[in-house]
Every structure is written in C-alpha cells, then in structure tokens.
Amino acid sequence: MSAPLQFMPRRTSKASLEEMAAITPILAQLRFSDDDIVRLLSVNTPGGLEALRQAAYDLTTAEVGNKVFYRGIVELSNICVLDCYYCGIRKSNRDIERYSLTKDEVIETALWCAEAGYGSCVLQSGERRDKRFVDFVEDCVRKIKTRSVSETLPQGLGITLSLGEQRLETYQRWHAAGATRYLLRIETTNRELFRKIHPEKQSIETRLQALDDLKSAGFQVGTGVMIGLPGQTLEDLAADIRFFEGRDIDMIGMGPYLMSQGGAMRTEGMLEKHKLMPLALKMIAVTRLVLRDVNIASTTALQALEHDGRERGISFGANVTMPNITPRAVRKNYQLYDNKPCTDEDTEDCRSCLEKRVVSAGREVGWNEWGDSRHFGRRQSGSI
Ligand code: 5AD
Ligand code: FES
C-alpha cells in the first residue's frame, strides 16, 4: 500500500537514513510511551517524515478504509459571546460585520449539500446560549433531517454540530432533534496555556464538563487542539494525544494555529510556515498511530497554510474533510484566522476542487455516506 504523494528527495541523506532506522522500531509498535510520541513528533528529516507518513497512511487504510468523507460546513452566524484571544470572530472584535443566516438559508444550504452527495453537514457558529438560538438550531436540525431523506440518503443527512459549550439539556434536545455528532475542541490540554489564550471566565473545567455532557447525551464526540500555539511544546502536544486517548474520543479536528488580525495575540506571532506545516502533519500521523480507528479531519487551516495542505493531511492519516458551503455573501465575515481559503469560491468550485485533492492523495470520496467514526461503533457495541 502506498500513497502517490512522496516527500522523499531522490538521494536519501545520512541523517534521513539514521532517523528512519531510529523510528522504524517505534512505528512497528501497537502501543506508544510518552517518549515514543515525543520522538515521533520531533522527526526532522525528509526520510523520517516519509516513514511516519507511510505508517500512518497504511494504518488509516487498514483501520478505517480508503474513503474520505465529506461534511459540508455551514457557518450559520459569526455572533459570539466568547472572547478567545486567538480568534478573529471573538466578541471584542468590532471590525467585522456580524451576520446570522435565516432558518431557510441554513436549511436550503444543508439540502444543497445532501443533493451534492456530501452525506453529512456540520452546523458551526460563534457561541450563543440564549433560548432563541437553542430553539433555532433545534428546528433547523429537525427540518434538515426530515427534508433530506431520499433514495440515496434513506436516513437523511448526517448532522454534526459545532456550537460550543451548552447545557446538558440543550445537548439532549439537539441530539433528540437528529444531530448525532458534536465537535468541541479543547484547544490545548496544558492548563497554563489554556489560561493564557482565553479570558479568565472561560475555564478548561467547563470545557471538560461539556465534553462529558456530550458523551452522556449520546453524541459521537469530537475534539482537538491548535498546533503551534505560542509557548506550546512537543510534550504538550503528546499530552494532547494522550488526552484524546484517555477520553475515548471518536473524532479529531486539529489544525495549525494561525495568526488573526482580529485576534488579541498578534504580538506573539506564529510559528514559521516551514516548521508549522510538518508539525501539523506529524500531529495528524501520530494521532492516527495512537488512536487508530477514529475519524480525523484534514482541516481548512491546513489549506490556509499551504495550497495543498488538505491533501497532505489526508496522506498523513486524515479521513474526513469539511468543504465550506456557507453562502458566499457572508463567507468573508467568518475569518477565524488570516488568509482563510475558499472565501471567494462558489460551493460548486469547492466540490470539484476537493475531489481532485482527495484523489491526488490516493483516496476516494465516500459519496452519500455518513462515514461515522468506527471507534464510536465499537464503543457503542461494547467491543472496546
Ligand atoms: N488559528 C487556528 N485555528 C483557530 N480557531 C479559531 N481561531 C483560530 C486561529 N487563529 C479554531 C479553534 C476553534 C475552531 C472553530 O477554530 O480551534 O475551536
Ligand atoms: Fe474550496 Fe478548493 S476547497 S476551492
């Protein structure tokens, strides 16, 4: 089994050969110590990176198959009650125009996604917890669910939510309405770092409680972190992977930390691209090796960093991608970070462009499939 993307130069240097020899026994393991994880994350030769990529790619094929699943992402509003310092749509950024799609716009966009064969959608938004918003989402989910049932999608469109910290009762209502997956990133598991990038009143404990609540509400639970945050170490990233493992997480969405003009961390800069891209890819690969049967997304932030970032993510072990299907008129207002790609393209352009990206990474698209996390299936059946 091999992916067509190759990052090895024609002549393999001595350093590459030595690193390949050092990591080959680690790559053959089924379980990894903290030191092993840090060693793999610190790979720094083309040969070492390629050996890691190949191992992660092959394990992906063996554990979750050859398909990449789409989740069309609808960014339904950029109104947000939070003030995360890294984020371009945080509450205190007065320089963006705030928008909210209407119920009809959300439903029509999701139905477009069902017709395009995407199989699943993600409803994402800035965070709101008021009754009007909770009712709005519940109604959107219910209507998308019933109206998307067709011959090709007999169970309707798969619905993932990415709507932040909510009360258990809200999660239960949204789950009962028909959403089955939920993404809520922990952002970093290093408590000190979490404190530094969020205002005082946003706590890691509340986030952890929300992840517990999501599980008890019956969701397939997704989380993830930002990679390359100022002050973050490889040990922190290794601890993040351990956290995903310890919490029995079903889905992972991680991406590089990118500076945002609308954020409050501009003075701290960001990791240079030539270091950040391989680090993000290594994080995907090592997460695959440790967690094995989970779904891992190749995120938009990877493509913001490098034009072929998404296919690289796929070739390093990701098996999900999330095309942006937000109506074009408002897309530019959902700038979580600078240079977000696909803000000008039409949804149709993204459709063909993304399929090329998936195929170029040696995979096929799982058209009209939900592509649920195999890990969740096993968790439900009690086989793990
Ligand atoms: N760089 C990278 N990712 C970001 N996010 C928000 N701001 C940034 C940024 N500057 C991510 C967060 C959040 C998700 C919706 O977007 O991880 O959970
Ligand atoms: Fe949007 Fe390629 S993914 S244009």
Side-chain angles (χ1 to χ4, degrees), residues 145-197:
K145 203 74 222 171
T146 44
R147 289 180 53 190
S148 59
V149 172
S150 70
E151 230 165 81
T152 41
L153 281 175
Q155 310 287 326
L157 196 62
I159 303 178
T160 307
L161 301 179
S162 176
L163 304 168
E165 292 167 3
Q166 304 286 344
R167 294 176 336 158
L168 173 61
E169 186 219 332
T170 304
Y171 289 148
Q172 288 166 334
R173 275 175 57 190
W174 289 346
H175 189 264
T180 53
R181 318 181 188 112
Y182 204 104
L183 306 173
L184 181 66
R185 289 190 183 177
I186 192 75
E187 313 296 358
T188 174
T189 58
N190 176 324
R191 285 168 183 261
E192 218 173 294
L193 191 53
F194 188 98
R195 215 9 345 107
K196 263 177 63 187
I197 63 173

Side-chain angles (χ1 to χ4, degrees), residues 237-252:
L237 291 171
D240 294 339
I241 297 178
R242 281 271 177 257
F243 168 83
F244 305 150
E245 188 188 27
R247 287 231 157 202
D248 219 359
I249 288 297
D250 304 305
M251 313 178 291
I252 310 287

Side-chain angles (χ1 to χ4, degrees), residues 248-263:
D248 219 359
I249 288 297
D250 304 305
M251 313 178 291
I252 310 287
M254 307 178 281
Y257 163 70
L258 303 168
M259 212 160 70
S260 164
Q261 285 310 317

Side-chain angles (χ1 to χ4, degrees), residues 303 310 323-324 331 341-342 345-346 349-350 353-354 357:
Q303 196 185 329
R310 281 205 236 207
N324 191 342
R331 269 196 212 187
C342 309
E345 278 79 7
D346 236 329
D349 300 339
C350 277
C353 161
L354 262 185
R357 292 178 189 280

Side-chain angles (χ1 to χ4, degrees), residues 164-313:
E165 292 167 3
Q166 304 286 344
R167 294 176 336 158
L168 173 61
E169 186 219 332
T170 304
Y171 289 148
Q172 288 166 334
R173 275 175 57 190
W174 289 346
H175 189 264
T180 53
R181 318 181 188 112
Y182 204 104
L183 306 173
L184 181 66
R185 289 190 183 177
I186 192 75
E187 313 296 358
T188 174
T189 58
N190 176 324
R191 285 168 183 261
E192 218 173 294
L193 191 53
F194 188 98
R195 215 9 345 107
K196 263 177 63 187
I197 63 173
H198 295 104
E200 194 69 39
K201 63 175 180 204
Q202 289 176 231
S203 84
I204 198 165
E205 276 73 25
T206 317
R207 187 69 49 110
L208 292 168
Q209 182 62 50
L211 286 168
D212 283 343
D213 290 346
L214 284 166
K215 202 180 253 183
S216 62
F219 279 102
Q220 294 176 48
V221 181
T223 192
V225 294
M226 283 181 287
I227 302 158
L229 282 163
Q232 193 180 41
T233 64
L234 292 184
E235 285 72 19
D236 290 334
L237 291 171
D240 294 339
I241 297 178
R242 281 271 177 257
F243 168 83
F244 305 150
E245 188 188 27
R247 287 231 157 202
D248 219 359
I249 288 297
D250 304 305
M251 313 178 291
I252 310 287
M254 307 178 281
Y257 163 70
L258 303 168
M259 212 160 70
S260 164
Q261 285 310 317
M265 289 169 53
R266 293 182 301 271
T267 53
E268 287 160 78
M270 62 180 263
L271 213 57
E272 299 113 295
K273 197 158 116 173
H274 71 276
K275 291 190 186 147
L276 186 51
M277 190 69 193
L279 183 60
L281 296 173
K282 286 185 276 184
M283 206 38 202
I284 290 179
V286 181
T287 301
R288 169 63 68 203
L289 293 175
V290 177
L291 272 75
R292 302 180 74 89
D293 59 358
V294 295
N295 276 353
I296 303 180
S298 188
T299 56
T300 317
L302 278 174
Q303 196 185 329
L305 201 55
E306 214 57 274
H307 71 96
D308 61 349
R310 281 205 236 207
E311 49 270 45
R312 289 215 205 178

